[in-house]
Amino acid sequence: MKKYLFYLILAFVWVSCEKEDTLEPKIDYFNLYTIAPDPNDSVQQLRYEIYTEYGIPVYFSDTVGKYPLTVNVYGDTVYEYELMDLNWEFTNSSEDSRSIEYIFLKDDTEKYNALLFAQKFLENSSPALRPLSMLLVDTLNIMEDASEGYVFNHELHNFRTMVWGGVTLLSEEDQTALIEEACKSLISEKIQNYTYELTQFQVVSQDYYNKSYPTSLPEYTSDCITEYVDENNPMAYYNTWFGSEYLNITYGMYDGIRHTHEEAVAILNERRDAYCAIVGAWGFVYGYGRMASYTAPSAEDDLNCYLERLLSDNPTAWFERYYSNYPLVMKKYEILYNLIVNELGVKLDNNDEEQEEEI
């Protein structure tokens, strides 16, 4: 009896395995994200050209597509829809704290112009910064806090998609500025994935974070080194640190002596050098907050300050001018510079002809 039962169980397992081997998928997961050409439709054709060149599908609706799931009792096909989840994050969903509403584009001319903007963004961003897909809408409103209500935004992105709203209303100059700001934000987020390089960066100044400087900084803010001014034309920048201090020195309100232009610039550069000597010795470029003149930045602020400079115009020239003699600063600069340029493929320095404005 036991022997008979053993063979019965064995036969049942064999039949089950045979059935499992012959299981066939019920859903055909074809590529919903493929954009097809249509020479008779200028909007669709431009979508296709963008997809062909960059591999990025661009949509005007949050419904990507559908695929047949099953057939109901009435013989009708039941579809599963692929939707964009704008609240989706890599580790969780932000839907509990954030609400998003948007209005779709309807006019073909606006759709075409929005596609031109999307194409411009892709042309001016490295592959590492490009999303898996893009959604172009007329209006994009986001509510982070119910007490503040909805706020209009031009851009929103998560791990899988990027949404642009109201871009067709912007001038060419404003579109360029928006793209630049979006790229800066993406760079700041992407580098968080490079934990080894960020650890190398932080180790350089790890003994100095949040500590009091040996002496307070000679200037109360970092404006003395972060402002972009033409030192040969200081009167054009009277509302900046450099301009206001220049007037004080040349009119004798600094030390009671009316100094010449050359003397005033020399004095200001001495004060700049004194500022850099204190923060640069510990590997910092500047800090944030009301205690920045007395206390070194936190690890987070330190990284943000470096990124702020690296993502500004001609960062190499800036670092060489103010911190070339401070090895800790230059070591941290090289770590982040190489990470952004070599790993993310972002061009940082402007190698065109020198601009009229001087740092």
Side-chain angles (χ1 to χ4, degrees), residues 24-307:
E24 296 180 0
K26 300 298 183 182
I27 298 176
D28 181 13
Y29 287 97
F30 54 88
N31 190 355
L32 294 175
Y33 290 84
T34 300
I35 304 298
D38 187 352
N40 298 319
D41 186 334
S42 60
V43 172
Q44 181 65 17
Q45 187 64 20
L46 183 53
R47 289 180 67 211
Y48 170 72
E49 292 172 3
I50 293 174
Y51 177 77
T52 302
E53 183 170 0
Y54 300 101
I56 309 295
V58 184
Y59 300 93
F60 298 107
S61 169
D62 57 358
T63 301
V64 175
K66 63 181 182 180
Y67 49 82
L69 183 63
T70 186
V71 177
N72 62 23
V73 294
Y74 302 103
D76 299 323
T77 303
V78 178
Y79 292 95
E80 180 78 8
Y81 290 86
E82 178 75 6
L83 303 175
M84 290 185 178
D85 184 358
L86 304 186
N87 272 316
W88 190 91
E89 302 291 348
F90 188 71
T91 55
N92 64 345
S93 176
S94 59
E95 61 183 356
D96 294 335
S97 60
R98 181 174 65 189
S99 180
I100 304 170
E101 64 175 18
Y102 38 84
I103 300 174
F104 295 133
L105 288 164
K106 297 180 180 180
D107 182 75
D108 282 347
T109 299
E110 292 185 351
K111 288 182 179 181
Y112 191 86
N113 290 333
L115 284 171
L116 292 177
F117 172 86
Q119 189 176 48
K120 182 178 181 180
F121 167 77
L122 294 172
E123 289 173 350
N124 290 277
S125 60
S126 70
L129 303 183
R130 295 169 188 162
L132 298 178
S133 61
M134 298 176 71
L135 173 63
L136 305 176
V137 298
D138 176 79
T139 303
L140 172 63
N141 294 323
I142 303 174
M143 180 170 62
E144 300 285 357
D145 189 333
S147 63
E148 298 179 358
Y150 283 98
V151 178
F152 174 78
N153 284 260
H154 282 299
E155 186 270 335
L156 173 69
H157 63 267
N158 58 23
F159 179 74
R160 295 187 295 191
T161 193
M162 172 175 276
V163 189
W164 297 99
V167 295
T168 60
L169 301 177
L170 300 175
S171 65
E172 287 288 328
E173 182 179 353
D174 288 339
Q175 286 186 357
T176 299
L178 177 60
I179 291 173
E180 290 178 353
E181 287 305 311
C183 287
K184 289 180 181 180
S185 176
L186 288 166
I187 292 170
S188 298
E189 293 176 14
K190 295 290 185 181
I191 67 168
Q192 300 300 326
N193 298 324
Y194 296 86
T195 55
Y196 175 74
E197 287 82 358
L198 293 185
T199 298
Q200 285 185 310
F201 173 86
Q202 293 179 354
V203 164
V204 176
S205 298
Q206 65 180 352
D207 294 333
Y208 305 116
Y209 287 129
N210 299 307
K211 287 190 176 182
S212 298
Y213 289 121
T215 180
S216 60
L217 300 180
E219 302 302 331
Y220 292 107
T221 71
S222 60
D223 292 346
C224 63
I225 57 174
T226 58
E227 289 178 342
Y228 286 78
V229 298
D230 179 1
E231 294 179 353
N232 294 318
N233 187 25
M235 299 302 292
Y237 306 88
Y238 65 90
N239 59 337
T240 65
W241 173 88
F242 187 92
S244 60
E245 294 301 302
Y246 176 87
L247 289 176
N248 288 335
I249 295 172
T250 55
Y251 281 92
M253 293 181 284
Y254 171 67
D255 55 6
I257 303 174
R258 294 175 66 96
H259 292 275
T260 65
H261 167 75
E262 291 74 14
E263 292 172 338
V265 172
I267 292 172
L268 289 174
N269 281 328
E270 287 177 2
R271 291 164 61 181
R272 285 167 159 172
D273 292 342
Y275 179 98
C276 294
I278 297 173
V279 298
W282 284 2
F284 302 120
V285 287
Y286 50 85
Y288 298 127
R290 63 185 182 86
M291 297 301 293
S293 295
Y294 309 95
T295 307
S298 64
E300 180 181 0
D301 282 347
D302 181 32
L303 177 61
N304 289 336
C305 290
Y306 270 83
L307 288 176

